[in-house]
Amino acid sequence: MESEGDLTAALAALTAEGRAPDAVEVFAVTLNGVARGKRVPMASVEKLAAEGPGSLRFQTSLMGLDIFGADVAASRIAMEIGDPDGVFVPLAHTLTPLPFRKGMATLQGMLADPASGALCAFDPRAVLLRVVDRAAAMGLAPVIALEIEFYLIDPETPLPARHPVTRERLAGYQVMDLDVLDAFAPVIADMEAAARTLGARTLSVLSEFGHGQFEINLAHMDAARACDALIALKKAVRAAAR
């Protein structure tokens, strides 16, 4: 049940940089790729660093929610068995300031069984680690590069965004259109800066076919860290766009 990385050192680095937060958003990623968690005071993360994963509890049924956030009875990991608690296993390398939120930090983790200490069998990152271990046993090390595609939407109506200069609504194909990319350069730059703060290094950005559709690519890295970076990038894109 050991955490990945040294959380005490990560906390010290955050404080040394003069960015000690008042609170931390702690979360795990579900099977649908949704980050779900809670906000805790800084003291709770300091206690987590000192005492280990047993000091912070998460219900394991989070990992069985459907895309709408509802329990799936057929999975039999929620109320059917008493909705038991798991414990939060922090990923120390993900402890970073939360962009655009003064006094807030964010910390990703995985869930584990409080009795055995084994990682939750249906935590998606734990499943990935098992696959990586199987690959390692064959002398292989998966290295991958991930990307996300997203749309910028008019905040006042569910339609494509308006061009920042002409104020006309985006229309027509815009695949790798540098003029469109240039028009949205400020918000794209904010996304990339937020991603760097959260630990994700972007490799390239381009406009895609759809109206207001963009793509951001990440560099190659080992499979688990690549997925961590993608989660960070998703958070950065949403925060900057909003």
Side-chain angles (χ1 to χ4, degrees):
M1 197 194 295
E2 292 184 1
S3 62
E4 183 173 312
D6 187 336
L7 185 57
T8 300
L11 281 167
L14 201 61
T15 303
E17 295 169 3
R19 298 182 295 175
D22 301 315
V24 181
E25 165 194 280
V26 292
F27 70 94
V29 179
T30 71
L31 286 169
N32 290 304
V34 178
R36 296 189 182 275
K38 52 192 173 183
R39 185 177 301 169
V40 300
M42 185 64 165
S44 294
V45 178
E46 291 170 344
K47 182 179 180 184
L48 179 64
E51 300 181 6
S55 69
L56 185 59
R57 299 289 175 122
F58 263 62
Q59 64 268 41
T60 55
S61 59
L62 283 179
M63 295 302 157
L65 299 179
D66 66 20
I67 194 62
F68 301 106
D71 284 322
V72 179
S75 68
R76 298 193 60 78
I77 61 171
M79 298 308 298
E80 297 75 22
I81 58 172
D83 201 16
D85 276 346
V87 296
F88 183 79
V89 181
L91 302 171
H93 65 276
T94 68
L95 179 65
T96 59
L98 195 58
F100 313 113
R101 295 294 302 276
K102 186 177 180 179
M104 285 284 296
T106 184
L107 175 63
Q108 183 183 341
M110 298 182 289
L111 303 189
D113 181 84
S116 68
L119 290 175
C120 176
F122 30 85
D123 180 305
R125 196 177 190 279
V127 173
L128 175 59
L129 290 179
R130 293 200 298 271
V131 173
V132 170
D133 285 345
R134 289 173 60 188
M138 295 185 285
L140 302 172
V143 175
I144 62 176
L146 300 175
E147 67 176 51
I148 58 169
E149 295 183 13
F150 59 90
Y151 289 85
L152 291 178
I153 302 299
D154 188 329
E156 297 181 358
T157 180
L159 292 170
R162 294 183 182 276
H163 192 289
V165 177
T166 67
R167 303 308 301 162
E168 294 181 358
R169 200 169 300 285
L170 295 176
Y173 298 127
Q174 58 175 50
V175 62
M176 300 188 80
D177 187 324
L178 293 175
D179 289 336
V180 171
L181 193 63
D182 185 59
F184 287 88
V187 68
I188 296 294
D190 281 350
M191 290 174 182
E192 293 188 281
R196 286 193 299 272
T197 297
L198 291 168
R201 181 168 62 89
T202 59
L203 195 61
S204 62
V205 183
L206 57 111
S207 59
E208 262 288 357
F209 274 99
H211 311 155
Q213 184 184 15
F214 296 87
E215 173 183 313
I216 299 181
N217 305 103
L218 294 170
H220 284 80
M221 59 192 83
D222 74 77
R225 291 299 178 92
C227 291
D228 297 340
L230 189 71
I231 295 301
L233 179 58
K234 286 171 65 176
K235 292 172 74 68
V237 166
R238 290 190 175 117
R242 287 170 179 161

